[in-house]
């Protein structure tokens, strides 16, 4: 198993190119199931979840080509010949919960889907009941047996459906089902994340008729058939946020390019409040971390446009180095503080009570052997290691490989001392 070995203390200086958004790429790939024509996706990040999705789509009969060399971030998908009884196996779903994103497209296109019920997850229960209720409202019949959800339908019918709680992949799943349903669908209390907007943009290029993506009410007028399209995935706002925090934390001067600062609003506000200097450009953000000592600033995670739960762990690492006491409240997932215990092992002063963490800083951190528990928790440990004294060894790096493209190369490129140890794998994702 791979480990990252990080020696802290270097300020990060230079430029990092931000990759395409994993959480926009995954629904976009699932959307290719909606047409028998070819869908070409650009700016696909080379991360492990993308390879998992490739295997998932291929298992259903889709041809998925992940590009090589100069075309390495392009993925071409043709779902002309789909299995009549497509299945997302437990093997795949257990490694990536976003596999449930194939439910909506499959029921809409083939009229049948069998998807393993996702089990528990390191950050919370994460049920998919709202996806199922949404599909039922469009006329699908759902049964559960042997750990699998079986969904079937003739042509779906447009309906009025209100999500009981805001769900990102739930919104995407039902949106993909509704685009081929007969008549009009109105979805209320939808997620407003940029990834939902990006999916709607792709679906629109494919011929779907969608209004309101990015607001809480989405209206869809169903069409008979969708066509192929070419689409460029939006930049990864969570990767950008992680590197912004890395720049601030190490007192560096980092320029992030190929990103969309308009997706980073709440974080940029918080960083300013914490005394970090940030400069927004066109498709770029620069962070200058040495301006003044960091100050504690509270956050509370919320659905977009609020502070993202996917940046909470990284922000906690930042607050361990800030003057004063900050309160970090996690409202989206019930168990997303696993990183706090590892940060404490490195010397942080963090107290957890229910969904609230109190961080007292600044605490000198010292390198230790720590374990990644999920994707963003691992990012938080990498950040802490960058300012810790001596060496930190992060185990279970496969978590970070699910969502960060070549993180150690990007960090090394701006002066961090990071190396990967363990079995040597070929560079290309997919092995
Ligand atoms: N929920 C339900 N029922 C459902 C669906 C969700 O109760 O049917 C609950 C969840 O348990 C959670 C809350 O609603 O408490 C919000 O979950 P949501 O469905 O929005 O999460 P998701 O769609 O499964 C996506 C991202 C996550 C990100 C969350 C929240 C993808 C592929 N994943 O997950 O990303 O944390 O939205 O923003 O888009 C990550 O990238 O590290 C990651 C975990």
């Amino acid at each position: 198993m791979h480990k990252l070995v990080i020696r802290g203390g270097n300020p990060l200086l230079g430029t990092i190119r931000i990759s395409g958004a994993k959480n926009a790429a995954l629904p976009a790939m699932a959307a290719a199931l909606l047409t028998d024509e070819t869908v070409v996706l650009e700016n696909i990040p080379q991360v492990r979840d993308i390879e998992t999705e490739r295997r998932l789509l291929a298992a259903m009969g889709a041809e998925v080509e992940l590009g090589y060399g100069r075309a390495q971030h392009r993925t071409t998908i043709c779902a002309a010949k789909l299995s009549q009884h497509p299945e997302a196996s437990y093997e795949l779903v257990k490694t990536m919960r976003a596999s449930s994103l194939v439910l909506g497209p499959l029921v809409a296109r083939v009229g049948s889907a069998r998807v393993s019920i996702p089990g528990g997850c390191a950050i919370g229960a994460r049920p998919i009941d709202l996806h199922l209720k949404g599909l039922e409202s469009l006329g699908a019949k759902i049964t559960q047996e042997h750990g699998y959800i079986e969904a079937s339908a003739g042509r779906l019918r447009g309906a009025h459906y209100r999500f009981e709680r805001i769900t990102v992949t739930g919104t995407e799943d039902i949106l993909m089902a509704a685009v081929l349903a007969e008549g009009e669908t109105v979805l209320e209390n939808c997620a407003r994340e940029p990834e939902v907007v990006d999916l709607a943009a792709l679906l629109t290029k494919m011929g779907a008729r969608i209004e309101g993506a990015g607001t809480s009410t989405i209206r869809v007028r169903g069409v008979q058939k969708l066509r192929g399209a070419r689409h460029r995935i939006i930049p990864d706002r969570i990767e950008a946020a992680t590197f912004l925090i890395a720049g601030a934390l190490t007192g560096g001067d980092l320029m992030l390019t190929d990103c969309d600062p308009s997706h980073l609003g709440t974080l940029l506000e918080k960083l300013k409040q914490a005394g970090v200097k940030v400069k927004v450009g066109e498709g770029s953000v620069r962070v200058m971390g040495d301006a003044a000592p960091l100050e504690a600033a509270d956050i509370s995670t919320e659905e977009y446009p609020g502070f993202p739960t996917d940046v909470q762990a990284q922000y906690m690492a930042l607050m361990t180095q800030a003057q004063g006491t900050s309160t970090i409240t996690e409202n989206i997932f019930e168990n997303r503080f696993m990183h706090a215990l590892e940060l404490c092992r490195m010397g942080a002063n963090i107290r957890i009570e229910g969904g609230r963490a109190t961080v007292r800083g600044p605490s000198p951190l010292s390198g230790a052997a720590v374990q990644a528990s999920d994707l963003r928790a691992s990012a938080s440990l990498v950040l802490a290691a960058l300012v810790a004294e001596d060496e930190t060894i992060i185990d279970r790096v496969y978590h970070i490989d699910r969502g960060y493209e070549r993180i150690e190369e990007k960090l090394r490129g701006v002066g961090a001392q990071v190396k990967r140890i363990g079995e040597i794998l070929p560079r290309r994702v997919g092995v």
Side-chain angles (χ1 to χ4, degrees), residues 192-216:
R192 293 180 285 161
E193 268 66 1
E195 293 77 16
V196 174
V197 178
D198 197 43
L199 172 65
L202 166 63
L203 293 169
T204 304
K205 287 180 193 166
M206 293 168 70
R209 292 153 78 189
I210 302 168
E211 274 170 32
T215 73
S216 38

Side-chain angles (χ1 to χ4, degrees), residues 20 224 236 260 283 340 409:
Q224 281 279 354
D236 195 316
D260 188 339
E409 283 178 28

Side-chain angles (χ1 to χ4, degrees), residues 22-24 26-27 49 96-101 121 123-133 161 163 165-172 191 193 195 236-238 302-304 308-311 330-334 336 374-377 402-404:
K22 163 187 85 86
N23 288 349
L26 295 174
D49 274 8
M96 189 184 70
R97 305 174 59 85
S99 306
S100 50
L101 278 168
C121 165
I123 61 175
R126 303 185 76 184
I128 57 161
D129 55 316
L130 305 177
H131 301 228
L132 304 182
K133 284 185 188 163
Y161 176 68
F163 291 96
R165 120 167 240 188
I166 298 174
T167 155
V168 178
T169 51
T171 301
E172 293 162 348
E193 268 66 1
E195 293 77 16
D236 195 316
R237 64 193 167 98
I238 309 299
E302 280 165 31
E303 294 87 359
Y304 192 84
T309 173
D310 288 346
V311 187
E330 172 57 53
N331 293 310
I332 308 295
F333 292 108
E334 61 268 31
R336 209 173 194 180
D374 70 77
L375 172 56
R376 308 305 170 184
R402 289 188 54 191
Y404 288 90

Side-chain angles (χ1 to χ4, degrees), residues 11-12 32 131 147 172-173 188 235-236 238 269 273 276 306 323 347 378 392 406 416 420 425:
L12 302 188
H131 301 228
E172 293 162 348
D173 208 6
E188 285 190 274
D236 195 316
I238 309 299
E269 276 310 307
Q273 206 179 319
V276 179
Q323 307 264 6
S378 359
T392 298
R406 297 173 176 161
R420 183 180 286 254
L425 290 179

Side-chain angles (χ1 to χ4, degrees), residues 1 4 15 45 72 123 143 213-214 218 243 311 314 323 328 333 339 401:
M1 218 182 292
L4 285 184
T15 301
Q72 62 184 338
I123 61 175
T143 55
I218 302 182
F243 288 130
V311 187
Q314 300 89 314
Q323 307 264 6
I328 296 181
F333 292 108
H339 46 281
D401 292 335

Side-chain angles (χ1 to χ4, degrees), residues 21 38-39 54 134 162 188 218 221 268 302 346 377 379:
T38 301
V39 172
R54 183 195 67 74
R162 185 183 169 81
E188 285 190 274
I218 302 182
R221 274 172 298 152
L268 294 178
E302 280 165 31
M346 295 175 73

